[in-house]
Amino acid sequence: MTTLLKASGVSFERAGEAVFHPIDVTLEKGKALVFLGPNGCGKTTLLRLLAGILGPAVGHVERFAATAFLGHLPGLKGELTCRENLYFLRRFHGMPGLEPNRALARVGLAGLGLRPARALSAGQKRRLGLAGLLVAQRSVWLLDEPYASLDDAGGELVDELLTEHLDQGGAVGLSTHQRQPRIQHPLSNLHMDRMTHGDSD
């Protein structure tokens, strides 16, 4: 299988203390990896490290493809409309993807393109964050609690998007408390244990 992201012996420190023990992570085309563990074990920190938002205290990360990160908070600009947020992401990443109106329709937000992001419900904000993955195509998706704030239909939408992304040769790394992905593609788990110190997810 083709490796799209590889982390070797990585860890992160806060105030001089390791957040989690050194970990190896490999994300391959067509495969998904789920990070499991209690709150405070460092899942969010690890995802940010893999995305390049944080730098490892030890070890190193190699990225062989464009990477997208969707945090527990969708990172939207509240004063911009839904459509403006998506056009901003499209221009910022400079990569092809779905046209913003089509992306909004794909995630169930058709007709809300002119609504300010701050006026959306929590579930709608989550859906808009998912649309952001579609407007600029990146092969590696790193998702922190993608099922958060979504109802059953929203959870099924996440599973559909994951399946489509993996069908296209992408890779996924995600953390979740709500549910396990219900997809047909290979799915592996990486269990993380809470240390006696460190930050919380």
Side-chain angles (χ1 to χ4, degrees):
M1 297 295 292
T2 301
T3 297
L4 300 182
L5 184 150
K6 184 177 180 65
S8 303
V10 295
S11 186
F12 184 78
E13 292 183 358
R14 193 173 300 281
E17 300 285 355
V19 175
F20 48 80
H21 297 291
I23 291 176
D24 296 328
V25 176
T26 300
L27 298 180
E28 299 178 330
K29 290 182 65 172
K31 293 187 178 182
L33 178 63
V34 180
F35 302 102
L36 300 173
N39 287 336
C41 70
K43 299 185 299 294
T44 295
T45 299
L46 178 58
L47 284 166
R48 290 175 176 167
L49 190 154
L50 296 177
I53 298 169
L54 301 174
V58 297
H60 63 279
V61 180
E62 298 174 277
R63 301 176 190 87
F64 307 106
T67 301
F69 173 78
L70 179 61
H72 185 62
L73 298 176
L76 304 170
K77 296 182 179 296
E79 69 277 10
L80 298 182
T81 66
C82 294
R83 192 162 59 195
E84 287 170 339
N85 268 283
L86 296 183
Y87 273 114
F88 171 81
L89 289 172
R90 189 182 180 96
R91 289 193 301 269
F92 179 81
H93 292 290
M95 307 185 75
L98 283 185
E99 190 275 330
N101 284 329
R102 290 184 60 197
L104 288 171
R106 180 65 187 87
V107 300
L109 297 179
L112 298 184
L114 298 180
R115 179 172 297 184
R118 64 173 178 270
L120 300 177
S121 68
Q124 289 171 331
K125 289 177 180 177
R126 174 59 54 181
R127 287 173 180 262
L128 183 57
L130 294 169
L133 298 172
L134 305 180
V135 295
Q137 187 175 14
R138 289 149 288 172
S139 296
V140 178
W141 287 2
L142 299 171
L143 312 177
D144 188 16
E145 300 290 345
Y147 298 101
S149 303
L150 293 174
D151 57 13
D152 289 342
E156 292 173 3
L157 169 66
V158 173
D159 291 336
E160 291 173 7
L161 295 178
L162 293 177
T163 296
E164 292 169 7
H165 183 62
L166 296 171
D167 282 344
Q168 295 165 5
V172 175
L174 66 91
S175 68
T176 179
H177 287 108
Q178 279 73 21
R179 60 184 273 178
Q180 283 277 300
R182 299 169 187 172
I183 58 178
Q184 298 301 313
H185 288 266
L187 182 67
S188 301
N189 294 329
L190 189 156
H191 293 270
M192 299 177 65
D193 296 322
R194 186 197 301 272
M195 298 184 71
T196 57
H197 51 259
D199 67 345
S200 62
D201 285 354

